[in-house]
Amino acid sequence: MPELPELEVVASVLTRRVIGRRIERVSLAPKGASIVVRDLTGRGFAETLTGAVFGSVTRRGKFLLFAGQDVPWTMAVNPKLTGRFQLSAPGGKKAGPVWVTFHMREPSEELRFIDSKRMGQIYLTEDVSAVPTFDEMGPEALDVSLDEFRLRIRPFRGEIKGVLVNARFLAGVGNAYADEILWAARLHPYRKRSTLSTDEIEQLYHAMRTTLVESTEKVHQVMGDDIHLKPRNFFAVHMRGGEACPRCGTAISAVTANQRITNFCRGCQPGGLIRGMGGEAKGSRR
Ligand SMILES: [Zn+2]
């Protein structure tokens, strides 16, 4: 799932590459695009967007927001697990199944929405609060002060990884970066928030900031303008189950629960119960 670092880079690349450009044509995959696209304007998705000019591309939580120039609508994209964009010359190799294509001219170029599992959603709306879960999001993870972080985390008493990925707490962190943040903070992912000391909460706050800021820079370097890529080769623990922890050398643990994998190091992230978030652990664990 693209998270804050990837989406931040995608928004900045698209800002440079598509702002001010006219959408000459919108094509929707004949079968399947209707699952991806949600027109909340009632005026038709392709009909509304054809002829419009991209005005801005920004990120909010795990959404990308496209606004048109001098038009009232916003296109809010929630890529979920598998959705992504690709910029390509017409006829260029597709990075996956394409559901929506925005055709631009001079130079001829396509902005494609690709999704191998059709989980992502593209909403066209004049009121983003009509987009499911949009209004429930807490502040941006990188916008809160330490004091605000302490205050906001207090009502969340469950396992700390579950708190970090909860968009109601803070927006932008998902499964992968939560693992990286907890490793950086040396905190076991299944420890209850209520067991964390004042110092540990502070450690977590700084680890979150450092991880997100540094990862955004790394994604930027690896991705370039290839926004369909998901560069994660710099991860310390996520998807590295069985490999040696880069800090202490212990084999990295992998616990699967609720179809989500959690990776952490029992050597330098001690404590916690051996179970998944809200359910019994399945799959391998060390
Ligand atoms: Zn370790």
Side-chain angles (χ1 to χ4, degrees):
M1 174 190 294
E3 302 179 27
L4 184 154
E6 289 102 9
L7 292 179
E8 197 60 32
V9 173
V10 171
S12 75
V13 169
L14 289 177
T15 295
R16 181 160 42 78
R17 296 279 300 269
V18 308
I19 295 309
R21 300 188 68 185
R22 187 170 183 273
I23 303 168
E24 300 292 335
R25 193 161 55 86
V26 178
S27 39
L28 302 171
K31 279 183 191 164
S34 57
I35 293 171
V36 174
V37 166
R38 293 274 177 272
D39 170 36
L40 308 181
T41 68
R43 287 198 292 270
F45 184 81
E47 290 81 352
T48 306
L49 289 166
T50 301
V53 173
F54 285 117
S56 67
V57 186
T58 52
R59 180 194 60 79
R60 170 76 175 108
K62 288 176 225 153
F63 286 86
L64 280 178
L65 303 176
F66 296 74
Q69 261 176 23
D70 306 319
V71 289
W73 51 257
T74 299
M75 185 170 77
V77 182
N78 186 358
K80 300 265 183 76
L81 268 178
T82 47
R84 58 193 65 191
F85 281 100
Q86 180 187 18
L87 276 168
S88 170
K93 190 171 185 297
K94 296 178 172 73
V98 179
W99 306 106
V100 184
T101 308
F102 304 93
H103 304 267
M104 297 172 286
R105 270 206 297 243
E106 293 164 18
S108 280
E109 201 167 23
E110 296 177 358
L111 176 62
R112 302 166 176 163
F113 183 75
I114 288 166
D115 194 335
S116 57
K117 292 194 174 153
R118 263 187 308 180
M119 291 171 82
Q121 298 273 271
I122 303 181
Y123 300 91
L124 188 67
T125 181
E126 291 181 4
D127 174 13
V128 284
S129 65
V131 173
T133 74
F134 195 87
D135 268 3
E136 297 164 11
M137 277 188 283
E140 285 294 319
L142 286 174
D143 284 355
V144 292
S145 65
L146 174 58
D147 285 346
E148 207 179 339
F149 186 83
R150 285 191 200 292
L151 214 61
R152 287 196 65 82
I153 208 166
R154 211 170 285 163
F156 298 90
R157 308 190 64 81
E159 288 159 342
I160 189 61
K161 178 167 177 185
V163 178
L164 273 184
V165 300
N166 187 341
R168 290 170 188 264
F169 167 52
L170 291 175
V173 176
N175 194 47
Y177 284 97
D179 282 356
E180 294 297 296
I181 290 165
L182 289 165
W183 179 82
R186 297 175 184 250
L187 294 173
H188 192 291
Y190 299 145
R191 276 185 62 190
K192 299 272 197 226
R193 195 286 303 160
S194 48
T195 70
L196 299 187
S197 69
T198 308
D199 283 353
E200 285 173 328
I201 296 284
E202 185 170 344
Q203 226 167 284
L204 178 63
Y205 172 76
H206 292 299
M208 177 186 78
R209 292 192 61 84
T210 309
T211 302
L212 293 177
V213 170
E214 288 180 355
S215 301
T216 303
E217 185 50 39
K218 286 171 190 160
V219 170
H220 175 71
Q221 286 166 11
V222 181
M223 195 186 257
D225 281 9
D226 293 329
I227 53 175
H228 56 283
L229 300 179
K230 199 155 114 181
R232 299 195 146 180
N233 53 336
F234 53 83
F235 279 176
V237 287
H238 187 69
M239 297 310 283
R240 294 201 183 281
E243 294 180 31
C245 166
R247 189 163 50 209
C248 75
T250 305
I252 293 164
S253 298
V255 176
T256 304
N258 304 332
Q259 294 160 350
R260 292 284 177 87
I261 192 157
T262 289
N263 296 112
F264 62 104
C265 173
R266 290 187 194 281
C268 56
Q269 296 170 260
L273 297 166
I274 306 168
R275 56 180 287 270
M277 285 175 292
E280 287 305 308
K282 287 186 291 236
S284 68
R285 63 184 194 222
R286 288 157 201 273

